[in-house]
Amino acid sequence: MAGGIAPVRGALLCALLWAVGVATGDDPGGSPVPGTFGRVYRGAVNISAERVYAFAYSSEPGQVDAVRVYVNSSSENLRYPVLFVVRQQKGVLSWQVPLLFRGLYQRTYSYQEVSRTLCPSEPTPETGRSDQIIFVDVASMAPFNITYELLVTRLKNFQLETNQPFNFTASPSQPQYFLYKFPQDVDSVIIKVVSDAVYPCSVVSVQDIVCPVYDLDHNVEFNGVYQSMTKQAAITVQKKDFPGEQFFVVFVIKPEDYACGDSMPSSLPGKFNRTWNLQRTKNLQVTIVPSIKKSVYVQAMFFSFLSFLSFYLGSVVVAFVHYIRVRRKASAGRLSPEDGSGIMTSSHPITASTPEGSSYGAIDESSSSGGHQLSSPERRPPAGSDTDSSVEEESDFDTMPEIESDKNVIRTKVFLYLSDLSRKDRRIVSKKYKIYFWNIITIAVFYALPVIQLVITYQTVVNVTGNQDICYYNFLCAHPLGVLSAFNNILSNVGHMLLGFLFLLIVLRRDILHRRAMEMKDIYTLDYGIPKHFGLFYAMGIALMMEGVLSACYHVCPNYSNFQFDTSFMYMIAGLCMLKLYQTRHPDINASAYSAYASFAVVISLAVLGVVFGKNDIWFWVISSMIHVLASLALSTQIYYMGRFKMDGPDSDLGIFRRAAMVLYTDCIQQCSRPMYMDRMVLLIVGNLVNWSLAIFELVYRPRDFASYILGIFICNLLLYLAFYIIMKLRSSEKLLPIPLFCIVATAVVWAAALYFFFQTLSSWEETPAESREKNRPCILLGFFDDHDVWHFLSAAALFFSFLVLLTLDDDLDVVRRDKIPVF
């Protein structure tokens, strides 16, 4: 009954309006013509004749009605377009046909067919229905007739339903938008939009229930939240952001595709003043699904913290087991100078035999001057003097001319032992390595504070402007919290901070126990095992924590401008690991903190230049490859000759490359003699081949992600050196204790799993935002974390195990005299 009364009331209302117009003497051509929904009206207008159509309808209680107006004109005369004005109760909407859009370089595109959805009426009270009237004015300033067609329809599927896909078609001149109301039990939803076609480029916008609705290319960015789109888009919307608990989802097709990464059509001529009526329609499907509940946030946070707190529990168990073993050995009277973990437990020197084969060569140098000097009490500081008191960087022993000559003699022996390269006062050496720790803290503070300020600014701009093209999230798994758009990507970095702090605690425990043992120990037992210097380990722990902080900062708003935040401390971690590995057997000649951090600064600067100039400038890649090769040669020479080729100071050898070439010519070509240091030569040859290959690769292929490419160079060199170190250790009949062996296996397994998830690319700042969204994928863990979050978890664990490998790798040497430990 109600359905039959509404059309009758609407027709009577339109007839009354038409009658009023005639009675007042208005021109019949300008008086309202009662219109019927679904009927096509054809006519002609000119400067003296216009048409007015009136459409009336009634809305059911609590119902939102939307009306769509379709118009077209056969005229392409841009001087005299047909003007359409739609008058509603609370607003006016107007456009012209042909409808013009402007693109890049002032190109213009015209469309003869236009359709617009009128701003819908608000829901009426439950007490009764409401009557609505729409006037459509058609006019033109042309001195001649211009034909047009008009069709007004009521939309049947204007309101989107939860979990129900809806298909439709849109074009630049025929945008679409729909209404969505939050269900009572849903606080957040994800709007998922998909299309089979990449182009034409589209824009998806979420706007509040306010008229007018911004649904054209030139104004869609004026209100709400929006994304560009090719094949896929996703926007997370929270109920708290919309007081009315409802919103519009607007779909606009761009007149050009450059915003989505496509170039200008080659068929278009170069004239900018031409207009092009292009057929740019796109089939879209929109689905609105409920997002996760608050309980999932709580579960995810518990999972993140408990997963890494289990490492703390495991460390406590290992420490307790070690304590029990030490107590049992103490009660049984079977103490060794150091019982693993760098903890000394004896108060008298021992004469334990070294492992078989530890002489590392046919010549036994144990009675060399280096070994005897180490055992001399006159050269040792009193027990318990390992403090941070003010001492010079170099002892008097080092600055004597005869000692400088002695260095040249000792470091050029065919077979070197640790006693030859641990001759300096350990207080001075420890102080030297502690500078790494204090410097990296200073660097971290001055680096992190501007980064935090910048990403907060980025996030604020995203929230204020609604432009979600600024940040490259995985929008299908981006869970907001507060002002943060992707809290899950930030939370997953908690592992780096927790495990970095745990590693600092482990190193601190070793440091404290070592200090206590030193205070109780006889001076002669200082000649056993690898010298214990913990400064680099502390720096590694801080670097791991800062990697978590800066990775979290980067993921606040990942984009082209700040991606280097995520890699800067990875360079430092890889570099510090290589320095620590080298320091183990070369404590006296390792690089100073100032030189090391200056080198890292050069690398980061080169990475920035690669981002700026590395896309199209071939000269950058030529210079970068040359720097890579020359740096490899210089470092190889320094390593091969144990630092006796200096490149600075009064005795600088500026002809280092010429001398290296002469050595290669004399030893390898002219006489073809066996290299003096065969093992080091093998390592350096392999290392240079790898680095030269990488230099050629970058010159030929010019990788787009230059920062990740440099990180790959660091990792390749670190893995190569670690493999060489372990091979040489086993070759020297040294052992791998259970703990370092477990850490090596765990490192390999966890790194393999982590890299699998790392290469599951979910977004890419190298492409446009729309192209990046094509890679977006749903969450895979707890409905909260995506593949990249799992990479964060696993990489944190892998780095932690990697640090433990370096910390425990030589624990088996704690019972071996230093004049029996080979250098390689």
Side-chain angles (χ1 to χ4, degrees):
M1 183 68 177
I5 294 177
V8 174
R9 294 177 60 185
L12 292 175
L13 185 60
C14 287
L16 177 61
L17 291 171
W18 181 82
V20 169
V22 173
T24 56
D26 292 341
D27 181 11
S31 59
V33 176
T36 303
F37 288 105
R39 176 184 172 184
V40 177
Y41 292 88
R42 296 179 177 86
V45 290
N46 54 49
I47 191 171
S48 59
E50 64 179 46
R51 294 290 184 268
V52 180
Y53 299 88
F55 297 85
Y57 64 96
S58 299
S59 299
E60 297 293 335
Q63 177 182 342
V64 178
D65 285 298
V67 174
R68 192 166 180 85
V69 179
Y70 298 82
V71 298
N72 72 70
S73 173
S74 59
S75 173
E76 296 185 6
N77 192 329
L78 298 180
R79 294 185 59 190
Y80 300 108
V82 180
L83 306 178
F84 293 87
V85 179
V86 181
R87 291 175 286 157
Q88 296 178 262
Q89 181 176 351
K90 292 185 178 181
V92 175
L93 182 66
S94 63
W95 65 90
Q96 67 181 49
V97 178
L99 182 63
L100 293 180
F101 293 99
R102 291 196 177 274
L104 195 63
Y105 305 123
Q106 300 302 313
R107 285 186 170 91
T108 57
Y109 304 88
S110 66
Y111 291 85
Q112 263 61 48
E113 296 183 3
V114 180
S115 66
R116 304 284 298 278
T117 301
L118 306 185
C119 197
S121 59
E122 298 179 358
T124 57
E126 298 294 338
T127 55
R129 70 179 70 249
S130 63
D131 297 325
Q132 304 290 333
I133 303 176
I134 299 172
F135 293 96
V136 181
D137 300 350
V138 186
S140 176
M141 300 298 290
F144 49 85
N145 285 337
I146 299 178
T147 60
Y148 67 90
E149 290 185 351
L150 170 67
L151 171 65
V152 181
T153 61
R154 296 179 68 175
L155 296 180
K156 297 180 180 179
N157 298 304
F158 180 68
Q159 186 168 332
L160 300 175
E161 301 295 335
T162 306
N163 292 320
Q164 293 185 10
F166 180 72
N167 297 280
F168 61 95
T169 301
S171 71
S173 62
Q174 302 183 49
Q176 299 270 13
Y177 66 86
F178 305 95
L179 174 71
Y180 179 79
K181 295 182 179 180
F182 281 97
Q184 291 296 325
D185 58 341
V186 176
D187 296 325
S188 177
V189 296
I190 300 179
I191 304 170
K192 300 180 179 180
V193 187
V194 296
S195 174
D196 294 333
V198 176
Y199 299 111
C201 180
S202 313
V203 175
V204 182
S205 174
V206 176
Q207 302 178 20
D208 199 2
I209 306 297
V210 177
C211 294
V213 179
Y214 298 100
D215 60 349
L216 292 177
D217 175 60
H218 65 271
N219 63 18
V220 68
E221 301 174 359
F222 289 177
N223 187 26
V225 178
Y226 60 92
Q227 295 179 0
S228 59
M229 170 190 165
T230 53
K231 298 183 67 174
Q232 181 173 256
I235 301 178
T236 299
V237 181
Q238 301 184 78
K239 182 189 289 186
K240 66 180 182 62
D241 296 330
F242 297 93
E245 299 184 358
Q246 56 186 345
F247 55 84
F248 291 135
V249 187
V250 183
F251 303 91
V252 174
I253 308 301
K254 305 280 287 183
E256 292 179 344
D257 295 329
Y258 68 88
C260 292
D262 192 31
S263 59
M264 294 299 299
S266 59
S267 59
L268 294 182
K271 296 182 180 180
F272 297 162
N273 57 353
R274 294 287 302 276
T275 60
W276 308 96
N277 196 340
L278 304 179
Q279 298 298 321
R280 294 174 58 83
T281 61
K282 189 165 188 174
N283 297 321
L284 299 164
Q285 181 186 84
V286 57
T287 308
I288 301 182
V289 298
S291 185
I292 60 175
K293 299 182 180 296
K294 294 181 180 179
S295 59
V296 180
Y297 282 82
V298 177
Q299 295 174 8
M301 286 187 277
F302 269 106
F303 171 81
S304 301
F305 283 94
L306 292 179
S307 297
F308 294 106
L309 289 178
S310 64
F311 284 82
Y312 284 77
L313 179 61
S315 300
V316 171
V317 171
V318 172
F320 179 75
V321 171
H322 181 267
Y323 173 78
I324 296 299
R325 288 181 58 194
V326 171
R327 297 289 295 177
R328 287 180 179 177
K329 289 185 178 182
S331 61
R334 296 183 288 105
L335 293 180
S336 59
E338 297 188 18
D339 185 50
S341 302
I343 305 170
M344 300 183 182
T345 58
S346 176
S347 59
H348 62 280
I350 67 170
T351 57
S353 60
T354 59
E356 182 181 358
S358 63
S359 58
Y360 186 65
I363 302 177
D364 188 356
E365 303 279 356
S366 61
S367 60
S368 65
S369 60
H372 283 296
Q373 287 174 1
L374 274 173
S375 299
S376 174
E378 290 78 13
R379 297 294 182 191
R380 287 293 180 187
S385 62
D386 182 29
T387 65
D388 292 335
S389 59
S390 177
V391 291
E392 298 295 332
E393 284 297 320
E394 297 289 341
S395 63
D396 294 336
F397 180 87
D398 251 346
T399 56
M400 296 171 60
E402 60 271 20
I403 296 305
E404 190 68 25
S405 176
D406 186 42
K407 285 182 181 179
N408 289 324
V409 173
I410 290 175
R411 296 183 191 177
T412 54
K413 294 191 303 182
V414 177
F415 299 103
L416 278 175
Y417 295 89
L418 190 57
S419 57
D420 298 323
L421 296 180
S422 57
R423 299 159 59 85
K424 294 182 180 179
D425 190 322
R426 69 176 309 277
R427 296 175 302 167
I428 298 174
V429 178
S430 292
K431 187 176 180 67
K432 170 185 176 181
Y433 289 122
K434 284 180 182 176
I435 298 176
Y436 277 95
F437 171 67
W438 294 112
N439 279 9
I440 200 170
I441 290 180
T442 304
I443 293 170
V445 171
F446 278 90
Y447 192 94
L449 290 180
V451 167
I452 294 173
Q453 180 182 4
L454 178 63
V455 297
I456 290 176
T457 302
Y458 268 116
Q459 185 67 76
T460 302
V461 170
V462 172
N463 295 339
V464 171
T465 64
N467 183 5
Q468 296 198 352
D469 283 354
I470 296 176
C471 305
Y472 288 71
Y473 303 115
N474 174 20
F475 288 92
L476 287 175
C477 186
H479 303 298
L481 181 66
V483 298
L484 301 174
S485 299
F487 174 70
N488 54 302
N489 292 150
I490 298 172
L491 176 63
S492 58
N493 284 284
V494 70
H496 294 89
M497 291 175 273
L498 290 178
L499 293 185
F501 184 70
L502 175 59
F503 184 73
L504 288 176
L505 294 179
I506 294 174
V507 174
L508 178 62
R509 173 182 175 271
R510 285 199 168 211
D511 194 3
I512 292 174
L513 293 177
H514 179 66
R515 286 172 178 266
R516 290 177 180 175
M518 291 289 293
E519 294 174 358
M520 301 169 56
K521 191 158 179 58
D522 190 280
I523 58 175
Y524 289 99
T525 58
L526 297 176
D527 295 339
Y528 287 84
I530 301 295
K532 302 295 187 293
H533 304 297
F534 297 97
L536 272 170
F537 284 126
Y538 285 123
M540 290 160 57
I542 295 296
L544 181 56
M545 296 180 68
M546 286 306 303
E547 171 59 26
V549 171
L550 292 177
S551 178
C553 290
Y554 164 71
H555 285 285
V556 169
C557 182
N559 58 42
Y560 172 84
S561 302
N562 61 14
F563 74 95
Q564 66 269 21
F565 301 159
D566 198 23
T567 55
S568 296
F569 269 79
M570 286 299 293
Y571 302 146
M572 303 186 74
I573 288 174
L576 290 172
C577 287
M578 285 189 281
L579 287 172
K580 182 59 193 177
L581 202 57
Y582 188 77
Q583 178 223 26
T584 303
R585 311 258 172 166
H586 312 79
D588 286 358
I589 62 173
N590 206 7
S592 68
Y594 308 111
S595 301
Y597 290 131
S599 301
F600 297 151
V602 171
V603 172
I604 294 175
S605 300
L606 187 62
V608 173
L609 292 176
V611 174
V612 177
F613 301 107
K615 288 186 176 181
N616 303 311
D617 299 317
I618 186 64
W619 61 265
F620 169 80
W621 295 100
V622 173
I623 295 176
S624 175
S625 299
M626 292 177 59
I627 292 175
H628 190 179
V629 172
L630 294 177
S632 300
L633 289 174
L635 185 61
S636 299
T637 306
Q638 291 292 98
I639 293 174
Y640 187 74
Y641 289 103
M642 307 295 284
R644 299 318 301 154
F645 277 2
K646 291 186 177 180
M647 300 184 69
D648 56 1
D651 299 326
S652 62
D653 189 347
L654 299 179
I656 182 172
F657 298 111
R658 181 177 57 82
R659 293 181 61 181
M662 289 298 297
V663 170
L664 290 174
Y665 174 76
T666 303
D667 294 349
C668 300
I669 299 177
Q670 190 176 38
Q671 299 179 357
C672 197
S673 59
R674 185 179 185 273
M676 181 179 294
Y677 315 112
M678 177 58 73
D679 297 318
R680 268 180 273 166
M681 179 60 72
V682 172
L683 168 66
L684 296 176
I685 289 176
V686 175
N688 276 277
L689 289 177
V690 170
N691 282 278
W692 295 356
S693 299
L694 291 172
I696 295 174
F697 172 84
E698 72 174 283
L699 186 60
V700 174
Y701 291 98
R702 287 178 276 176
R704 296 182 65 182
D705 190 352
F706 186 70
S708 297
Y709 168 75
I710 293 182
L711 181 59
I713 294 175
F714 271 83
I715 293 176
C716 286
N717 284 275
L718 175 59
L719 292 176
L720 179 64
Y721 189 31
L722 180 61
F724 169 80
Y725 189 95
I726 295 176
I727 291 172
M728 294 302 299
K729 182 178 177 66
L730 297 176
R731 182 183 169 194
S732 303
S733 298
E734 298 175 9
K735 297 181 296 183
L736 290 177
L737 296 179
I739 289 181
L741 185 59
F742 167 79
C743 292
I744 291 173
V745 175
T747 299
V749 172
V750 178
W751 268 124
L755 290 175
Y756 170 79
F757 289 98
F758 175 75
F759 289 111
Q760 304 299 312
T761 307
L762 304 178
S763 61
S764 175
W765 50 262
E766 302 173 25
E767 300 172 340
T768 64
E771 291 172 329
S772 174
R773 290 189 191 94
E774 294 180 20
K775 300 177 171 64
N776 289 176
R777 284 188 287 180
C779 307
I780 64 170
L781 180 62
L782 301 178
F784 191 83
F785 298 111
D786 60 19
D787 298 75
H788 198 74
D789 294 322
V790 178
W791 149 255
H792 286 162
F793 289 135
L794 295 178
S795 63
L799 286 171
F800 177 72
F801 283 124
S802 302
F803 289 0
L804 290 182
V805 170
L806 300 181
L807 183 64
T808 62
L809 187 58
D810 288 313
D811 282 352
D812 61 302
L813 301 179
D814 289 342
V815 296
V816 181
R817 287 181 60 89
R818 291 178 187 169
D819 56 6
K820 298 293 184 180
I821 300 176
V823 173
F824 39 79

